[in-house]
Amino acid sequence: MTATAARPADTLVARQATTRHFLMCPPEYFTVEYAINPWMNPDQPVDTALAMAQWQELKDTYVRLGHAVDTIEPQPGLPDMVFAANSGTVIEGRVLGSKFRAPERAAEAEHFRRWFVTRGHRDLVMPTRINEAEGDFAWTGEVLLAGTGFRTDPAAHAEAQEALGVPVVSLNLVDARYYHLDTALFVLDKGPNAQIAYYPDAFSAGSRRVLARMFPDAVIADEADASCLGLNGVSDGHHVVLPAEATGLAKQLEDRGYEVIGLDISELRKSGGGPKCCTMELHA
Ligand code: ARG
């Protein structure tokens, strides 16, 4: 044995960005006026203008990286509509809408359904079970990783498999701070050699074993990375957008050849959201 630690098998792979199509919603009416996750405290003041500036920076970053970004009209009275990832799962032209657990967010689903219809998406199914879309679904290009435990109903996983025609792997979330899958895991690279980053403590023991089996070389985040919502990242296969505080995770990704862009998302985090929550990907 030499003194050099074993490096992950994919360390020397050349990172290849692919162009993405995103849907976002400006946080025009963003506030924290109810609490449906442990991050939300309605007594804490929120600066909506600052949230808008942080969101704009995120959108501008995607555009600068060459991605296509569509936006949907924000609606008064729907302060969480900025979290577009929760309103649809789109894979190869098929759209599965959403059905929110909290009554405060229920009306968002219909606004997004109409957006899809107006844009000519014919292959659209609305779920019958609680389904918070990309909040709990992560597409690897081969399988749909699906979270449950706090929001999305486990029965929605089977519904997603049927509607989208892709294999679904169910994962159990066990820590209320990581109430959506996308607060604890994200996809770095899509395709047959898909790679992910995740925070193991957010998952049940069985789900941790599933993830270790499927992704033996995954990037493992620690508590410091997770607790700034560092796992709420967005990767195009080369560039990875992260909350700026996730410095340990950023270092690990840079060691593997990714280019990390750290952004300030402090206002959006007051609602329990980060870059990924604000970004629905329309997967080609
Ligand atoms: N306040 C929102 C909620 O609790 C935040 C949603 C964040 N979105 C996400 N994809 N994790 O529903």
Side-chain angles (χ1 to χ4, degrees):
M1 283 294 283
T2 66
T4 318
R7 297 185 72 92
D10 72 342
T11 301
L12 298 171
V13 172
R15 299 294 164 202
Q16 196 71 54
T18 54
T19 303
R20 306 301 172 99
H21 185 182
F22 297 134
L23 175 58
M24 300 178 74
C25 179
E28 200 169 320
Y29 304 103
F30 178 69
T31 58
V32 177
E33 58 195 43
Y34 49 80
I36 55 172
N37 70 54
W39 302 80
M40 301 175 85
N41 173 5
D43 298 330
Q44 193 185 15
V46 168
D47 183 338
T48 303
L50 181 55
M52 184 63 95
Q54 292 173 351
W55 178 88
Q56 189 66 48
E57 181 72 33
L58 177 63
K59 178 169 180 281
D60 290 348
T61 299
Y62 293 143
V63 171
R64 183 168 57 75
L65 295 175
H67 303 304
V69 182
D70 276 318
T71 54
I72 182 172
E73 189 73 25
Q75 299 295 323
L78 294 176
D80 276 337
M81 197 172 163
V82 59
F83 302 116
N86 302 143
S87 287
T89 307
V90 182
I91 299 175
E92 292 164 11
R94 289 199 162 80
V95 182
L96 177 61
S98 68
K99 186 176 167 70
F100 285 89
R101 183 164 294 279
E104 293 92 336
R105 296 196 65 185
E108 295 176 38
E110 174 61 13
H111 290 289
F112 280 85
R113 189 193 67 80
R114 272 190 239 144
W115 187 90
F116 286 116
V117 169
T118 316
R119 293 305 176 107
H121 291 271
R122 299 264 167 273
D123 208 336
L124 183 151
V125 173
M126 292 308 281
T128 67
R129 304 303 186 125
I130 302 295
N131 178 326
E132 299 198 355
E134 284 196 319
D136 277 317
F137 291 129
W139 175 234
T140 72
E142 303 267 296
V143 299
L144 190 63
L145 302 175
T148 188
F150 298 97
R151 298 293 186 86
T152 296
D153 183 334
H157 296 178
E159 208 174 20
Q161 174 161 297
E162 199 56 38
L164 297 168
V166 298
V168 171
V169 174
S170 291
L171 300 166
N172 291 312
L173 296 163
V174 297
D175 180 335
R177 286 174 304 165
Y178 307 108
Y179 58 95
H180 272 147
L181 182 68
D182 75 356
T183 63
L185 177 154
F186 72 104
V187 176
L188 290 162
D189 275 310
K190 286 199 286 190
N193 298 313
Q195 193 53 280
I196 63 168
Y198 68 102
Y199 176 52
D201 287 3
F203 295 90
S204 69
S207 296
R208 285 200 299 270
R209 287 201 296 276
V210 169
L211 289 170
R213 181 184 285 265
M214 291 181 75
F215 304 100
D217 294 326
V219 174
I220 303 297
D222 64 15
E223 157 88 41
D225 293 322
S227 64
C228 63
L229 287 178
L231 277 312
N232 200 246
V234 177
S235 172
D236 66 13
H238 177 84
H239 311 95
V240 184
V241 177
L242 290 185
E245 297 87 347
T247 51
L249 180 57
K251 172 78 174 67
Q252 286 201 66
L253 294 174
E254 280 161 0
D255 286 349
R256 292 192 189 212
Y258 295 96
E259 194 177 322
V260 175
I261 300 160
L263 295 183
D264 181 7
I265 50 114
S266 59
E267 289 309 296
L268 298 159
R269 192 164 43 221
K270 291 176 180 170
S271 192
K276 173 58 207 174
C277 303
C278 296
T279 313
M280 181 198 295
E281 181 167 352
L282 284 65
H283 291 278

